[in-house]
Amino acid sequence: MPRLLALSDIHNNARAVEALCRAERGGARFDAVVVAGDMGSETAAATLAALAAAFGCPVLYVFGNWDARLPY
């Protein structure tokens, strides 16, 4: 069974991203990361992108209304 990490509505919540960092350092393994939008800022999006790359799996992202200023 595939293991998915599904996220949405981060809304610049640094604590949520930090919790994911702890999971990654703890050896969590996923087959894909799915982000259903609303990261909020370029900083939050960049942090999540770096984290997702550390998991070493595909990342699927859908832009939300909070992400209008982020580059495509």
Side-chain angles (χ1 to χ4, degrees):
M1 176 168 274
R3 292 182 48 148
L4 301 176
L5 174 59
L7 312 164
S8 71
D9 301 292
I10 298 295
H11 294 228
N12 297 321
N13 183 344
R15 284 186 163 167
V17 176
E18 289 167 3
L20 292 174
C21 289
R22 285 191 298 275
E24 188 274 330
R25 285 186 216 116
R29 299 286 176 244
F30 299 98
D31 296 310
V33 175
V34 179
V35 183
D38 289 351
M39 286 302 303
S41 70
E42 287 186 35
T43 302
T47 301
L48 182 63
L51 172 65
F55 279 116
C57 62
V59 178
L60 307 167
Y61 186 86
V62 176
F63 280 77
N65 62 314
W66 273 59
D67 304 327
R69 295 186 185 137
L70 296 177
Y72 182 71

